[in-house]
Amino acid sequence: MRKNRVLLGGLALTLSVVLTACASANGKSSDSSSSSSTDKISLMQDTDLLSLDNSNYADLTMWNVLENSMEGLYRQDSSNKVAPGMAESVVKPTNNGKTYTFHLRPNAKWSNGDAVTATDFVKSWQRSVSAKSKSGYNYIFSGIKNADQISNGKMAPTQLGAKAVNAHTLQVNLEHPMPYFSKMMILPAFFPQDTKVVQKYGSKYGTNSNRVVSDGPFKVTGWTGTNDNWKLLRNPHYYDQKAVHLKEIDMQVVKDANTAHNLFAKGQLDDATISGVTAQGLQKNKDLRHVQKAGTYYVRLNNKAGKPFNNQKLRQAVSLAVDRNHLTKDVLADGSKPAYTYVAQGLATDPTTGKDFATEMTPTETHNVAKAKQLWSQGLKEANLKGTVNLTLVGDDDTVTKNVAQYLQGTLQQNLGNVKVNMQNLPTKTVSNKEAGGQFDFDQTLWLADFGDPENFFSILTKDNPQNYAHYEDPQFNAAMKDATTSNAANTGAYWKDMRTAQSRLNATMPVVPLYSMVESHLVNPKLKGIEYHPVGENDYTRAYLEK
């Protein structure tokens, strides 16, 4: 998922804000026990809640709310492994890896008492894969039989390869084996919807908390569709009552990192997300917790013919000129870690080696200014570029993105020579339009994993992917990805060899330059335990509790 940079980017802060943040950097804070009782906690979201309909909307706030109120076929456990959710067990595919048969829990119910049925999954998926879906996530169903044709408006949603065999048996048929299919089932995009409730409210489904019901541990209440605070109350019909300790989760929108810090210090938040200057000033706070996410911030180089970065050596030079340790330690200074591969660290373990995929695929050479200068000079000659090369670097207009852009501007102009980097920091919507239109030489962006497999990263760089804004086209990379999703999909050894080949090609051809890994900075009430901070997916508070 391409997340807006502003989700982590610090907002422009006044001097008083900076002083407030630095004043608490000594590790001392006021009482951070938010709740007056041990059965409720207070959390924040940094953007408005705009919908609860996962078929027609998708952003981080909505998914955070759904993650803690709804449940799909599977959920993630505390070890980040796929575990049974609405399905009784994690199933193995049949039909050479192309058919999954899920048996739903017979005692699973919605918060209004309705039974959770296979039809609730089928109808929900049909709404979400439809060409009329407004979530932008119908592509995630690709690989399920007929999904692509449905998303393109060439087939009716009822032709999707998902059917209710009976009330509690769901069968899914794929067009080809998908080794990562089970991991995808934790996504809110695949959550069920109570068919009766959807039929009752139609286009108004999910527009407020009264027009939706939940099958997870909590149900959403008090959201009018426009207000900035709401509650998650315990769902008395949830099948696993023993696993749930809280009775209530209060949520409020807090868009400013310094405000979040102040609310935490006053005991009004049990978990506050901070960023930017505020995070920099609180790195020694005793309640600070860094949460590694499977996301990579990177620079995308426009490979299109006629653009300077159509030349491979110029792309390689940019990567070697960047000192990622200096960037993360001295420029960001917020706990971020260097990234050397497009695939994020912590995303997936290569089962054939037992190693973290990103770690095992780290290039042997990551920073070499002398070699960068040499490659830059050679590339300019090959591309027949003379004099000073003017490059446009596009990025969002938040403070952190601007700081990184300034670093890149100075580093490249100093280390490469014969280049002038012009920064364009613009509103997110404008940036998105420029990216889609190819109106950039290079741009700053983030890819946050939807599911725990390298394919989720690589797929958007394949030749025909609509999000391949860099116009990257490498025959070896495309061949590896095609084999991985067809002939080698059911062969673990061959599949992961294809994944390694794909990352090796990116390391060599450098269409994207990884900069740093996504890290969330949380101030957490020390009494709050049991939070499941997943590298992939949203943070799970459904099993959390407050120590007495």
Side-chain angles (χ1 to χ4, degrees):
M1 175 180 262
R2 197 280 192 199
K3 303 287 188 183
N4 293 339
R5 181 61 183 84
V6 76
L7 289 175
L8 286 187
L11 301 174
L13 302 177
T14 63
L15 178 61
S16 63
V17 168
V18 176
L19 292 174
T20 301
C22 293
S24 296
N26 59 5
K28 297 180 180 179
S29 63
S30 53
D31 182 13
S32 56
S33 178
S34 160
S35 304
S36 58
S37 62
T38 58
D39 57 8
K40 73 174 182 177
I41 59 174
S42 296
L43 306 177
M44 62 169 278
Q45 299 296 325
D46 54 13
T47 60
D48 296 325
L49 178 61
L50 300 177
S51 177
L52 291 170
D53 180 0
N54 61 318
S55 291
N56 283 311
Y57 204 80
D59 73 355
L60 194 54
T61 294
M62 187 184 83
W63 280 27
N64 283 336
V65 175
L66 294 182
E67 173 74 20
N68 289 282
S69 59
M70 300 280 283
E71 192 164 280
L73 293 167
Y74 299 149
R75 60 182 304 276
Q76 285 190 86
D77 64 18
S78 58
S79 300
N80 303 315
K81 302 295 184 182
V82 172
M86 289 294 109
E88 290 185 305
S89 63
V90 177
V91 303
K92 293 183 179 180
T94 56
N95 187 26
N96 296 316
K98 293 191 292 184
T99 299
Y100 287 77
T101 303
F102 302 95
H103 298 285
L104 306 185
R105 299 177 185 274
N107 61 333
K109 291 185 177 182
W110 293 97
S111 54
N112 64 355
D114 289 345
V116 177
T117 68
T119 298
D120 293 336
F121 281 90
V122 173
K123 294 295 185 181
S124 173
W125 292 11
Q126 288 176 354
R127 288 185 77 231
S128 297
V129 76
S130 169
K132 297 180 180 180
S133 170
K134 299 176 183 178
S135 72
Y137 251 68
N138 49 10
Y139 78 90
I140 203 72
F141 290 83
S142 181
I144 299 177
K145 187 177 179 180
N146 298 329
D148 291 338
Q149 293 93 323
I150 296 168
S151 295
N152 292 329
K154 296 179 180 179
M155 277 191 178
T158 52
Q159 298 301 306
L160 184 68
K163 67 177 182 179
V165 177
N166 55 48
H168 293 101
T169 305
L170 171 69
Q171 187 176 89
V172 181
N173 291 300
L174 309 181
E175 293 179 340
H176 54 76
M178 297 167 64
Y180 43 85
F181 183 75
S182 292
K183 297 177 181 179
M184 294 172 65
M185 292 302 99
I186 66 171
L187 277 174
F190 292 96
F191 284 177
Q193 298 163 359
D194 188 329
T195 305
K196 296 178 182 178
V197 175
V198 175
Q199 290 174 343
K200 179 179 179 180
Y201 293 112
S203 62
K204 293 184 178 181
Y205 172 78
T207 54
N208 63 42
S209 58
N210 291 328
R211 294 172 180 152
V212 68
V213 291
S214 305
D215 68 333
F218 294 90
K219 58 181 179 180
V220 186
T221 64
W223 182 62
T224 65
T226 58
N227 58 325
D228 60 4
N229 60 85
W230 57 90
K231 298 178 184 295
L232 305 186
L233 299 181
R234 188 163 174 164
N235 175 11
H237 296 290
Y238 184 59
Y239 67 87
D240 193 3
Q241 291 292 318
K242 292 182 180 179
V244 183
H245 308 287
L246 299 171
K247 290 184 179 179
E248 180 178 326
I249 299 176
D250 295 342
M251 287 190 174
Q252 60 180 301
V253 178
V254 182
K255 298 182 179 181
D256 178 75
N258 187 66
T259 301
H261 169 224
N262 288 337
L263 289 172
F264 178 82
K266 294 176 181 178
Q268 295 175 12
L269 283 176
D270 288 296
D271 189 333
T273 306
I274 56 173
S275 58
V277 176
T278 304
Q280 291 174 356
L282 292 168
Q283 288 303 297
K284 295 183 180 180
N285 189 289
K286 64 181 178 61
D287 296 323
L288 182 67
R289 179 169 181 174
H290 290 128
V291 177
Q292 184 76 40
K293 290 290 185 177
T296 301
Y297 286 102
Y298 61 96
V299 173
R300 176 168 39 205
L301 309 179
N302 196 337
N303 291 214
K304 191 175 183 179
K307 291 287 188 179
F309 289 126
N310 179 252
N311 182 275
Q312 179 172 301
K313 288 182 179 176
L314 295 183
R315 301 196 300 266
Q316 293 170 331
V318 170
S319 181
L320 290 177
V322 175
D323 185 346
R324 295 162 178 82
N325 282 316
H326 172 60
L327 171 64
T328 54
K329 182 179 179 181
D330 302 319
V331 178
L332 293 167
D334 61 357
S336 297
K337 302 295 181 184
Y340 299 106
T341 56
Y342 178 50
V343 172
Q345 285 194 348
L347 174 78
T349 298
D350 182 341
T352 65
T353 63
K355 299 178 181 178
D356 176 76
F357 181 81
T359 301
E360 72 175 352
M361 295 307 301
T362 298
T364 55
E365 193 169 43
T366 57
H367 179 53
N368 186 327
V369 175
K371 188 172 181 178
K373 288 182 177 179
Q374 182 183 24
L375 287 167
W376 188 257
S377 179
Q378 293 172 351
L380 293 177
K381 291 179 181 178
E382 290 179 2
N384 196 29
L385 295 172
K386 299 178 181 180
T388 300
V389 178
N390 287 282
L391 299 174
T392 300
L393 174 61
V394 174
D396 292 332
D397 57 357
D398 64 272
T399 302
V400 176
T401 301
K402 288 180 180 178
N403 290 342
V404 174
Q406 290 172 356
Y407 165 76
L408 292 171
Q409 181 187 55
T411 292
L412 298 182
Q413 291 180 171
Q414 177 181 341
N415 291 342
L416 298 180
N418 298 323
V419 61
K420 181 179 180 181
V421 177
N422 302 297
M423 296 165 44
Q424 286 191 3
N425 293 100
L426 306 164
T428 300
K429 185 176 181 179
T430 304
V431 172
S432 297
N433 291 336
K434 280 185 170 290
E435 290 171 341
Q439 300 172 23
F440 62 95
D441 291 313
F442 52 155
D443 72 324
Q444 298 166 257
T445 190
L446 159 73
W447 189 260
L448 177 59
D450 288 312
F451 53 89
D453 191 282
E455 193 276 345
N456 183 228
F457 276 77
F458 295 149
S459 62
I460 66 167
L461 294 181
T462 53
K463 177 182 176 181
D464 297 322
N465 191 287
Q467 295 193 61
N468 183 11
Y469 301 137
H471 299 278
Y472 178 58
E473 186 175 345
D474 179 71
Q476 294 181 55
F477 176 85
N478 287 320
M481 291 306 296
K482 181 178 180 180
D483 289 345
T485 55
T486 54
S487 59
N488 293 336
N491 184 323
T492 301
Y495 177 84
W496 284 91
K497 182 179 179 181
D498 289 332
M499 293 294 102
R500 291 192 295 272
T501 297
Q503 182 62 65
S504 294
R505 291 306 298 164
L506 296 185
N507 291 350
T509 58
M510 205 56 65
V512 296
V513 176
L515 296 177
Y516 57 102
S517 298
M518 181 179 177
V519 174
E520 290 180 348
S521 295
H522 290 251
L523 293 172
V524 184
N525 180 350
K527 294 182 179 180
L528 180 56
K529 308 295 182 182
I531 307 171
E532 296 176 1
Y533 291 113
H534 300 300
V536 180
E538 286 61 54
N539 301 326
D540 185 350
Y541 296 87
T542 64
R543 270 65 178 169
Y545 60 94
L546 282 168
E547 287 185 334
K548 297 181 179 181

